Amino acid sequence: MNVLLTTILVRSGVLTHVWDLVKYLRAYGINVSVAVIKTPYIMASLKLTENELEKLLGPIAAVPFCFYGDSRELARFARGVKAQLVHAHSPLCFPTSAELAAEIDTPLVLTLHGATYWQRAYPKVLAQACRIIAIGPEVAHSAGEMHRDKIRIVYNGVDVDHFVPDNSTPLPERPLRILWYGRVNKPSSRGAAMLDLAAAALSAAGMPVRFLAVGHASGVAFTAMEYTGWVENTLPLLQRSHVVFGRGRALREGMACGCIGFLLGEGYGGRVATSWFAAGHPSLSGAVKHGYPQAEVKALLADISTLLDLSPERIQGLRLEARNIAEKYFAAARMVSDVYAVYQECRAAYGSGRKKDRFLMPAWRAGRHGGRFSLS
């Protein structure tokens, strides 16, 4: 199968998600190509320069790819790579991707990377899509009731072959190295602000803890934590930390590197433990609206103090548990397997010859890959 991914280049989980698909889909016999939308408006809105575009290509440079500015350029490239399925990863690509899929008569797959009013903004594109991938339950809910039968929940993964613990040089037991990691806007930055206050209190008490903040938290001026800003290669920092506080992909990457993971955004979920996954894959949004209590300094201090009381052997056990969770539940290879299953659904549905409802799949065929989405 020849799959064309359409995307933007931006420093976010959207691009990392595309990188993972490019890397792992080839194991399923998929010929992957990538079309990156590039217009003066997009370049200005994303604050990108021509030099930065090349640096953001990453694994995309290893497969057929193009930059396109309009539907004609996209269609020319799609015909050249003989695209049999179009998979769009950014709303900026949705209109041109939908037009292309209709023109060359191929299935259209959309991935929704965030919760917003999708049905209000893109009703025609959602209606045309063969399948809609949502990266979590909250994102699926935001897509609305109308398309529930073709929504599949596929959680973001991380490359656990790249994000790995560094066992060559054991970490010193003390100070306990705690990392806040992420790129968050308000209100999700509340957790980072509370952690900075906790760092100030623990430092004033002379506790053996080192705090480092990596990334960007909107509106937060870190005063007690060392702050690096955005770092292109976070792997060494993650590997030299005992603990990571964060949400979403950042939290997953830290845990894959063997950091004890604490879910922290606007809300606070505490330590991510194996028991969380017994009843299914939990949301790692850290959002209050998803049931997490608002992040407060008192709770953070209590959990960090508990860690300081643990033996080195127990700390190492929790780090191993974090890595095991990442391998079992967060691996990009698992995510790509589920995406491949969505592609197979599309090919089967598209080739069935059904007209009005040819993209709707009976419940008994939904399988394990996200299953049917229910708003109930």
Side-chain angles (χ1 to χ4, degrees):
M1 186 191 306
N2 300 326
V3 173
L4 173 60
L5 309 178
T6 61
T7 188
I8 56 174
L9 294 185
V10 61
R11 295 181 184 89
S12 75
V14 174
L15 182 57
T16 310
H17 185 94
V18 171
W19 284 354
D20 289 338
L21 290 175
V22 167
K23 178 177 179 178
Y24 289 102
L25 275 174
R26 283 174 286 184
Y28 294 89
I30 299 289
N31 298 313
V32 183
S33 55
V34 183
V36 179
I37 190 166
K38 174 189 169 188
T39 67
Y41 167 77
I42 290 173
M43 293 286 286
S45 62
L46 299 179
K47 299 179 181 179
L48 289 174
T49 66
E50 292 290 340
N51 289 336
E52 287 174 317
L53 282 182
E54 297 298 323
K55 294 178 181 178
L56 290 173
L57 282 171
I60 294 172
V63 300
F65 78 93
C66 77
F67 293 105
Y68 75 96
D70 56 38
S71 299
R72 288 178 299 176
E73 292 176 347
L74 179 59
R76 189 180 309 120
F77 178 72
R79 289 192 173 92
V81 297
K82 298 180 173 58
Q84 297 171 296
L85 184 146
V86 179
H87 186 175
H89 286 271
S90 166
L92 292 173
C93 304
F94 285 1
T96 51
S97 300
E99 183 177 341
L100 170 67
E103 181 178 341
I104 63 177
D105 193 27
T106 61
L108 173 67
V109 176
L110 308 175
T111 289
L112 309 183
H113 287 275
T116 189
Y117 298 105
W118 293 108
Q119 181 56 36
R120 183 186 303 174
Y122 302 98
K124 293 182 180 179
V125 178
L126 265 63
Q128 180 184 336
C130 175
R131 292 290 183 271
I132 299 169
I133 295 174
I135 65 167
E138 62 276 7
V139 178
H141 277 277
S142 76
E145 175 76 17
M146 183 177 299
H147 302 296
R148 54 180 286 183
D149 287 326
K150 57 185 178 183
I151 294 175
R152 301 292 180 265
I153 296 174
V154 178
Y155 292 91
N156 269 334
V158 297
D159 188 345
V160 295
D161 297 324
H162 173 74
F163 291 99
V164 295
D166 179 8
N167 297 320
S168 62
T169 306
L171 275 176
E173 295 174 12
R174 292 289 185 267
L176 188 70
R177 301 186 181 195
I178 296 178
L179 182 72
W180 177 85
Y181 175 36
R183 182 188 292 234
V184 296
N185 297 323
K186 292 183 178 180
S188 296
S189 60
R190 175 183 173 84
M194 294 299 103
L195 188 60
D196 193 56
L197 292 175
L202 289 165
S203 296
M207 303 302 289
V209 189
R210 179 189 174 189
F211 287 89
L212 179 64
V214 176
H216 174 73
S218 180
V220 178
F222 294 99
T223 57
M225 303 175 69
E226 298 176 51
Y227 179 53
T228 67
W230 186 253
V231 175
E232 291 296 334
N233 180 19
T234 57
L235 182 62
L237 295 174
L238 294 170
Q239 291 176 330
R240 302 305 296 168
S241 299
H242 298 96
V243 180
V244 62
F245 282 83
R247 59 190 288 272
R249 179 178 290 276
L251 178 62
R252 292 179 174 95
E253 290 178 354
M255 292 179 65
C257 290
C259 297
I260 304 168
F262 286 81
L263 175 57
L264 180 65
E266 175 195 13
Y268 182 52
R271 185 176 71 87
V272 180
T274 303
S275 59
W276 284 31
F277 301 86
H281 201 313
S283 167
L284 294 181
S285 68
V288 171
K289 66 181 179 181
H290 299 143
Y292 294 103
Q294 194 170 58
E296 300 291 353
V297 176
K298 183 177 180 180
L300 295 171
L301 285 172
D303 282 347
I304 295 170
S305 297
T306 297
L307 288 179
L308 288 168
D309 290 336
L310 297 179
S311 67
E313 293 77 18
R314 179 58 177 153
I315 290 291
Q316 181 61 19
L318 293 178
R319 296 185 66 207
L320 290 172
E321 181 184 356
R323 172 63 187 182
N324 290 337
I325 288 172
E327 290 180 323
K328 187 172 182 179
Y329 299 104
F330 301 158
R334 172 182 172 143
M335 172 197 76
V336 175
S337 172
D338 289 353
V339 170
Y340 174 72
V342 172
Y343 292 169
Q344 293 293 85
E345 288 182 17
C346 286
R347 294 297 291 173
Y350 199 82
S352 69
R354 286 181 288 170
K355 300 297 182 180
K356 181 179 179 181
D357 62 342
R358 65 179 177 178
F359 296 143
L360 301 183
M361 193 165 109
W364 59 269
R365 289 185 57 197
R368 71 176 182 86
H369 301 283
R372 284 185 51 155
F373 168 64
S374 173
L375 291 174
S376 59

